[in-house]
Amino acid sequence: MKTLVIAEKPSVAQDIVRALTPVAGKFDKHDEHFENERYVVTSAVGHLVEIQAPEQYDVKRGKWSFAHLPVIPPHFELKPVDKTRTRLNAVVRQARRKDVDRLINACDAGREGELIFRLIAQYAFEGKHSPKPVQRLWLQSMTPQAIRDGFDNLRSDEQMQGLHDAARSRSEADWLVGINGTRAMTAFNSRDGGFFLTTVGRVQTPTLAVVVEREEQIRRHVKRDYWEVHAGFLAEAGEYTGKWFDPAWKKDAEDAEKRADRVWTVAEAQAIADAVRGKACSVSEESKPSTQASPLLFDLTSLQREANGRFGFSAKTTLALAQSLYEKHKALTYPRTDSRWLPEDYLRVARQTFEMLAGSPMPHLAPHARKALQVGYVKPSKRIFDNSKVSDHFAIIPTLQAPGHLSDAEQKLYDLVVRRFMAVFYPSAEYQVTTRVTTASHEGKSYSFQSNGKVLVRPGWLAIYGKEADAEMEKKEGEQSKSLVPVKPGELVRNESVEPRALQTRPPARYSEATLLGAMEGAGKWIEDDELREAMQEKGLGTPATRAAIIEGLLSEKYLLREGRELIPTAKAFQLMTLLRGLQVEELSKPALTGDWEYKLAQMEKGQLSRDSFMQQIAAMTERIVRKAKEYDRDTIPGDYATLQTACPNCGGVVKENYRRFACTGAEGDSDNAGCGFSFTKTPAGRTFAVEEAEQFLREHRIGPLEGFRSKAGWPFVAELTLVKDEESGNYKLEFDFGDDAKAEATGEIVDLSGQPSLGPCPKCGAAVKAFGKSYVCERSVPTHSHPQPTCDFKSGQVILQQPVEPEQMRKLLQDGKTDLLDKFVSMRTRRAFKARLAWSAEEGKVGFEFEPREGARKYPPRKTAAAPAKAAAKASASTRTAAKKKAPARKTAAKAEKTPRAGNLQPSPQLAAVIGNGPFGRGEVMKLLWDYIKAHDLQDPKDKRTIVADDKLKAVFGADSVGMFKLAGIAGQHLS
């Protein structure tokens, strides 16, 4: 009988095999596992199974309403993660083998690793399959000896029960709060019809609250004028500068904007300047040595922050690059870590890594690695090696494998990690820091000016950063990275110039991804309760592996916008915070919720709290959130609402914001008048008005085109909004305006384009292109008197991504194939402006973007694999198929047959059935059969392979002699029922 070892990642499975080979014998490598006489070793790739509510308790998205809430299933079922289903089947197949009599959980040493294994084991042995005994391999170091020691000291399943309970409880609690909270808030906001998706979550919502609270501080900030007094002084050795300060100043707890070097009236600043102008001044100074140690090794969050600050990489981009360097290039260790230390037995590995770097062909890194080895910098240190600071994983460092060809972005990130790895072994940088106080006297009063200098004496670890060293130095405000000119003991210096400078206080800075990641990591410090703060001290909001996804989720749900490097909360974000406060369920927006959970889960791990008790508390909390949302009248939710400057268009009254609408409240000061009834929703089609947008809409009676609207079915769309007089009610109302062209398409009404000048020939059919509604259209694409049945579909917007496209530019596109370079496009995803030409693509059959080549852009030679001749590829393919036929065992053939898509339930029309058969079919199968027919009958136009020339059978399907290949799916869809 054999033991199955299940690791969390393929790389760990390989490490285990290498460690066990000397003591357990050689392993044979198979497609899905390694195996010898004693062990079978396989791995997951993270989570392979996730929890779900049983079918009878699940509520489909279209039925999200209070009638179906809360959803608290008595138990959870399991479902495979779609993208890793093949891997799950491979692991389960090994677990169910008859010659395997026990399992070893070798997933990562932590709560998440425990959950990954337990869900796989539960899935594998549900139903008729009997469970098998389990032991736990607990590793904090991946050296071969540490792995062998771990196998000699396996933990029992009973010892891990507390950790399993905590892991399962955290997963189920997140599901209950996230699902019910999201559905309750969505149901609340969708009461008036439509679908206004309002997502909440234990980590997502407090993270959003952090950004919203900062924005509220920025909005509340009132600029205050203040002055600084700067002076220049002349000594025998030369000039230096200083800034006035009050030596007796003490911090004001009531006013954080007060500083020792600020005065609050111009008169006071001018008086200081007048008092010292031209005076002889005494000098005192203190000069002392100072050191600066290198920063610690990277964990994922600190790496994401550094990459965002240096290169502008988003957290998501940094994680993807680090994952590529780990998985594809094998150049970095596992990146999804929250530790900044290495195991204590990794000194030898660190020295080997330096040896690899010293011999690498990287001239900017190799010399520093060689010096470290020669001088003996690579030695034990608690700043680097500390088992007590290593969690599931250790810090991110380079591996022993030098990377091959890296992209520019990958190289930047790799260099960042390597420099930090080497720097932490190098000695501290040494400085000479000088603080000089220059004092002038006038009419019995003294006026002090401070000057600071900081001189690098020995670079230490900063030598690794070369020209970038100055950016790595810690400098105080006003500190210069050079020495001050010397002043002799007792020497008097003369004031040469003095200038009061008028300044203004600034609000706190908006969050960037770097600073938000830091806030998420340190969120526990905001919790007042000592026990909860202590429980969350090592956790923060989210994990290093999930924080990037949390931020991306807030961006995709339009709670945040990214402008440059700033993250700005939208009106939708403010509305959610108002709702949670008004419903008195603010715990959803507080880090204390995570702190409370972490405290209780830690108790559960120690056996001091039962799983049932914790889950009952979560169920009660879930029921309370739903009940609060269900009972509350949305119009009366309290909040900090705006008053618009523009008067009501109907009666001239004051228009104010409430939770759900902007509504007329009658004449100002008339408390008895409830208004004329005019109002418009704050969230038309699921998109929330910003106050500035509402003001513009009320003032101009029109706004747009705006993005971010969603139909009742959840599809996004772009539209203009208009404020029109409703004859029936006698008041104004909000309407969507999709333009005359959209109306013609929808209704089929005949339109008259005879008065519009032609801008040029249609690139699809040669007919005239004219302006119509909000677009430029082919005159054969809309119903006209001369051509009532549209036969073309050319259409291009008069405004594209906020860039107006003037008729002259459309004329150039039609005549020359492209417009001039236009510079007012705004990306829907990043909100950044960009420049591009609009160009016609015959291949794609539409207008697209053509970008200017970047100056100095790096050009890479084509990869050899991509440039392989077609004949060689065809020959290789043919030989592979031949070999496969010879070698493929019957078992694999059967497995392949099992993966053949099942027949669908779509029935083709008689015309389509004459081409592909009677069905029923799946949609993918229809397209495959259609293409098989086209290729078999050689129906692609030899001059343009993207045009399909119809034979008699296809003419009945197409309704035309030929069509573009991109229209095939749409045409086929019209013939399926």
Side-chain angles (χ1 to χ4, degrees):
M1 303 300 287
K2 297 185 178 184
T3 297
L4 173 65
V5 181
I6 301 178
E8 188 169 320
K9 301 176 288 291
S11 61
V12 176
Q14 291 173 343
D15 288 340
I16 290 172
V17 167
R18 280 193 288 267
L20 291 181
T21 296
V23 295
K26 185 177 180 297
F27 283 79
D28 294 324
K29 188 178 186 304
H30 300 266
D31 290 343
E32 301 167 348
H33 63 283
F34 301 89
E35 185 170 355
N36 68 7
E37 292 182 357
R38 290 175 57 188
Y39 294 103
V40 178
V41 181
T42 188
S43 75
V45 280
H47 280 277
L48 303 183
V49 185
E50 58 190 0
I51 61 172
Q52 66 175 356
E55 182 66 29
Q56 64 269 33
Y57 290 92
D58 194 22
V59 180
K60 303 303 179 189
R61 177 161 157 168
K63 296 183 179 179
W64 287 8
S65 72
F66 288 120
H68 302 103
L69 296 177
V71 180
I72 304 178
H75 66 278
F76 285 90
E77 294 180 352
L78 303 181
K79 67 173 180 177
V81 176
D82 287 337
K83 65 180 181 180
T84 55
R85 187 185 290 266
T86 302
R87 189 73 215 156
L88 174 63
N89 292 339
V91 175
V92 169
R93 190 158 41 246
Q94 301 305 316
R96 291 176 179 171
R97 280 172 48 165
K98 292 182 179 179
D99 61 341
V100 167
D101 66 344
R102 69 169 179 149
L103 309 181
I104 291 180
N105 174 5
C107 291
D108 295 342
R111 194 188 294 160
E112 212 60 26
E114 193 69 21
L115 182 64
I116 288 170
F117 175 85
R118 296 283 185 151
L119 294 182
I120 292 171
Q122 179 184 336
Y123 183 84
F125 299 119
E126 275 184 330
K128 62 182 179 180
H129 301 280
S130 300
K132 298 177 181 180
V134 173
Q135 290 178 290
R136 182 61 151 111
L137 176 67
W138 194 262
L139 298 176
Q140 289 185 304
S141 171
M142 294 305 298
T143 63
Q145 188 56 51
I147 293 171
R148 288 192 286 269
D149 291 344
F151 271 87
D152 290 338
N153 297 280
L154 294 170
R155 301 184 182 186
S156 69
D157 199 36
E158 292 73 22
Q159 286 176 280
M160 308 309 300
Q161 189 60 45
L163 184 64
H164 165 234
D165 287 346
R168 185 72 69 106
S169 297
R170 197 276 310 153
S171 176
E172 292 179 5
D174 269 343
W175 190 98
L176 287 169
V177 171
I179 293 293
N180 285 285
T182 293
R183 293 178 183 184
M185 299 309 142
T186 300
F188 186 92
N189 283 327
S190 305
R191 276 176 169 171
D192 292 340
F195 183 78
F196 186 49
L197 180 61
T198 311
T199 59
V200 297
R202 175 182 61 89
V203 176
Q204 169 192 302
T205 309
T207 301
L208 180 62
V210 167
V211 185
V212 169
E213 286 168 11
R214 174 64 59 85
E215 193 69 20
E216 288 174 338
Q217 291 173 9
I218 293 169
R219 292 182 181 184
R220 286 195 300 266
H221 178 78
V222 178
K223 291 182 180 179
R224 297 165 62 187
D225 295 330
Y226 71 92
W227 285 260
E228 292 178 351
V229 184
H230 293 254
F233 300 95
L234 179 63
E236 289 182 21
E239 284 193 62
Y240 65 92
T241 60
K243 183 167 63 170
W244 174 87
F245 75 104
D246 180 2
W249 180 83
K250 291 183 179 178
K251 190 174 182 178
D252 188 343
E254 301 296 321
D255 190 347
E257 291 181 334
K258 288 187 176 179
R259 302 277 195 282
D261 56 5
R262 292 179 178 179
V263 294
W264 298 93
T265 65
V266 65
E268 188 178 357
Q270 195 61 53
I272 295 170
D274 293 342
V276 302
R277 187 173 286 111
K279 289 285 193 300
C281 309
S282 61
V283 177
S284 64
E285 70 179 24
E286 180 183 6
S287 186
K288 58 183 180 181
S290 176
T291 61
Q292 180 185 341
S294 74
L296 296 174
L297 294 169
F298 283 123
D299 62 2
L300 178 57
T301 300
S302 59
L303 179 61
Q304 287 170 320
R305 294 179 65 186
E306 186 81 2
N308 182 255
R310 271 181 192 275
F311 313 126
F313 292 167
S314 69
K316 179 183 177 182
T317 297
T318 299
L319 176 56
L321 291 171
Q323 200 71 26
S324 173
L325 288 164
Y326 164 67
E327 290 179 350
K328 179 182 175 183
H329 300 285
K330 316 296 183 189
L332 292 186
T333 57
Y334 185 67
R336 297 168 182 258
T337 175
D338 61 356
S339 176
R340 303 183 72 175
W341 285 265
L342 298 175
E344 291 167 11
D345 61 2
Y346 253 58
L347 179 63
R348 181 167 161 272
V349 176
R351 191 170 283 118
Q352 290 172 335
T353 307
F354 268 91
E355 290 168 356
M356 179 277 293
L357 293 169
S360 72
M362 292 183 280
H364 59 300
L365 301 174
H368 303 297
R370 286 195 290 270
K371 181 179 179 180
L373 292 169
Q374 291 164 4
V375 180
Y377 289 157
V378 188
K379 56 190 177 183
S381 167
K382 276 289 185 181
R383 287 193 78 239
I384 308 169
F385 306 98
D386 190 342
N387 285 349
S388 67
K389 301 287 182 66
V390 174
S391 56
D392 307 18
H393 306 282
F394 50 77
I396 304 171
I397 62 172
T399 65
L400 297 177
Q401 183 167 322
H405 175 75
L406 301 178
S407 68
D408 272 354
E410 287 172 334
Q411 188 68 55
K412 284 180 177 178
L413 201 73
Y414 182 73
D415 285 359
L416 206 59
V417 174
V418 172
R419 288 181 198 269
R420 178 66 65 89
F421 170 72
M422 291 194 294
V424 80
F425 287 93
Y426 264 62
S428 297
E430 296 179 15
Y431 301 95
Q432 192 69 23
V433 178
T434 303
T435 302
R436 177 178 295 171
V437 176
T438 306
T439 305
S441 297
H442 178 71
E443 296 180 354
K445 290 184 67 176
S446 295
Y447 300 89
S448 300
F449 292 78
Q450 183 168 303
S451 311
N452 298 297
K454 186 174 185 179
V455 180
L456 185 62
V457 179
R458 289 187 180 84
W461 63 274
L462 287 174
I464 295 170
Y465 289 85
K467 293 180 180 179
E468 303 170 42
D470 201 50
E472 300 291 330
M473 290 170 55
E474 293 176 358
K475 290 204 286 283
K476 297 176 183 176
E477 186 180 356
E479 199 168 63
Q480 304 172 33
S481 57
K482 60 182 180 180
S483 59
L484 297 167
V485 298
V487 175
K488 296 176 183 176
E491 179 185 350
L492 294 178
V493 301
R494 176 167 296 279
N495 171 252
E496 287 290 295
S497 62
V498 62
E499 174 195 11
R501 295 182 185 176
L503 301 166
Q504 285 186 323
T505 59
R506 294 180 180 180
R510 286 194 173 106
Y511 281 105
S512 64
E513 286 204 39
T515 54
L516 182 56
L517 286 165
M520 294 173 75
E521 187 177 37
K525 66 186 179 185
W526 301 320
I527 300 174
E528 294 181 5
D529 185 282
D530 291 340
E531 287 184 331
L532 303 190
R533 186 170 60 250
E534 180 67 26
M536 200 174 161
Q537 188 174 3
E538 302 297 326
K539 299 291 182 181
L541 283 171
T543 67
T546 61
R547 285 175 189 142
I550 292 294
I551 294 173
E552 290 298 322
L554 291 170
L555 289 162
S556 66
E557 289 295 338
K558 300 296 186 287
Y559 283 122
L560 295 179
L561 295 176
R562 187 189 275 122
E563 288 192 4
R565 296 191 183 183
E566 291 184 335
L567 297 174
I568 303 173
T570 63
K572 181 180 178 181
F574 281 94
Q575 189 174 14
L576 175 60
M577 293 303 134
T578 298
L579 176 59
L580 297 179
R581 293 165 188 163
L583 295 179
Q584 298 176 340
V585 290
E586 279 189 276
E587 63 264 35
L588 281 178
S589 66
K590 300 293 184 185
L593 177 61
T594 292
D596 179 52
W597 285 19
E598 288 298 336
Y599 175 71
K600 290 173 179 173
L601 292 172
Q603 286 185 309
M604 197 182 302
E605 288 180 20
K606 300 171 188 173
Q608 297 169 357
L609 178 69
S610 73
R611 172 165 148 72
D612 286 345
S613 175
F614 177 77
M615 293 310 300
Q616 286 171 10
Q617 294 173 35
I618 298 300
M621 173 188 170
T622 302
E623 289 170 344
R624 176 179 167 274
I625 291 170
V626 173
R627 185 177 68 253
K628 283 281 188 181
K630 191 182 295 188
E631 292 173 351
Y632 217 104
D633 179 357
R634 25 185 308 180
D635 284 337
T636 60
I637 288 183
D640 182 16
Y641 297 123
T643 299
L644 301 187
Q645 299 301 309
T646 307
C648 169
N650 191 52
C651 72
V654 177
V655 178
K656 293 186 177 181
E657 175 190 12
N658 58 41
Y659 177 72
R660 56 195 288 265
R661 305 187 76 79
F662 290 96
C664 175
T665 58
E668 188 171 4
D670 186 356
S671 57
D672 295 331
N673 191 343
C676 67
F678 166 75
S679 71
F680 60 92
T681 178
K682 286 169 62 175
T683 55
R687 184 194 186 278
T688 305
F689 268 121
V691 173
E692 298 78 14
E693 291 174 335
E695 193 79 68
Q696 179 187 344
F697 181 54
L698 194 59
R699 183 176 60 250
E700 301 175 7
H701 288 208
R702 174 178 291 276
I703 191 170
L706 300 176
E707 302 152 0
F709 297 108
R710 285 184 181 271
S711 69
K712 290 183 179 180
W715 294 102
F717 66 91
V718 178
E720 289 191 8
L721 297 173
T722 58
L723 205 55
V724 297
K725 191 70 175 279
D726 179 26
E727 299 302 329
E728 186 176 333
S729 66
N731 211 326
Y732 284 83
K733 67 177 183 179
L734 177 153
E735 285 188 354
F736 284 96
D737 183 0
F738 297 101
D740 296 334
D741 47 339
K743 182 179 178 183
E745 288 177 12
T747 63
E749 292 179 10
I750 298 293
V751 297
D752 183 8
L753 296 180
S754 58
Q756 291 291 333
S758 171
L759 299 174
C762 171
K764 286 194 169 185
C765 70
V769 171
K770 299 183 177 183
F772 176 54
K774 300 183 185 337
S775 303
Y776 297 108
V777 301
C778 172
E779 63 181 357
R780 293 180 182 172
S781 70
V782 293
T784 61
H785 291 290
S786 60
H787 197 79
Q789 185 63 40
T791 58
C792 184
D793 63 355
F794 176 80
K795 178 179 179 181
S796 185
Q798 293 183 21
V799 177
I800 298 175
L801 294 181
Q802 302 183 33
Q803 166 71 60
V805 182
E806 302 298 337
E808 182 59 33
Q809 293 298 332
M810 178 51 60
R811 192 173 285 114
K812 286 187 177 184
L813 186 146
L814 297 173
Q815 291 173 355
D816 306 331
K818 64 179 71 175
T819 65
D820 295 335
L821 188 67
L822 306 176
D823 61 0
K824 293 183 175 62
F825 295 107
V826 177
S827 166
M828 290 177 65
R829 185 176 65 84
T830 66
R831 315 298 297 179
R832 295 177 184 173
F834 66 92
K835 299 178 182 179
R837 300 176 192 273
L838 294 176
W840 170 253
S841 170
E843 290 184 354
E844 297 183 15
K846 64 179 182 180
V847 174
F849 294 112
E850 182 179 285
F851 297 96
E852 294 284 275
R854 289 184 298 168
E855 291 185 14
R858 183 173 174 182
K859 295 180 180 178
Y860 293 102
R863 293 190 179 185
K864 293 181 180 179
T865 51
K871 289 183 179 179
K875 184 178 179 181
S877 177
S879 64
T880 302
R881 285 196 299 270
T882 305
K885 286 179 182 178
K886 292 178 181 178
K887 294 182 180 180
R891 181 168 60 86
K892 289 198 173 183
T893 306
K896 187 175 181 180
E898 289 176 6
K899 293 181 182 178
T900 302
R902 296 177 182 174
N905 58 359
L906 297 174
Q907 197 67 46
S909 68
Q911 296 91 334
L912 184 57
V915 178
I916 65 172
N918 290 319
F921 300 114
R923 189 175 293 273
E925 194 177 1
V926 169
M927 295 307 299
K928 180 180 183 303
L929 292 169
L930 196 52
W931 271 108
D932 287 346
Y933 181 88
I934 291 166
K935 290 177 179 177
H937 293 79
D938 198 21
L939 297 178
Q940 288 177 278
D941 189 332
K943 294 181 181 179
D944 179 9
K945 294 287 188 182
R946 295 173 182 266
T947 298
I948 312 303
V949 180
D951 61 5
D952 290 340
K953 287 185 178 179
L954 283 181
K955 279 182 184 177
V957 177
F958 295 167
D961 292 335
S962 65
V963 300
M965 62 183 284
F966 296 106
K967 293 186 178 181
L968 277 181
I971 293 171
Q974 296 171 11
H975 286 269
L976 297 171
S977 59

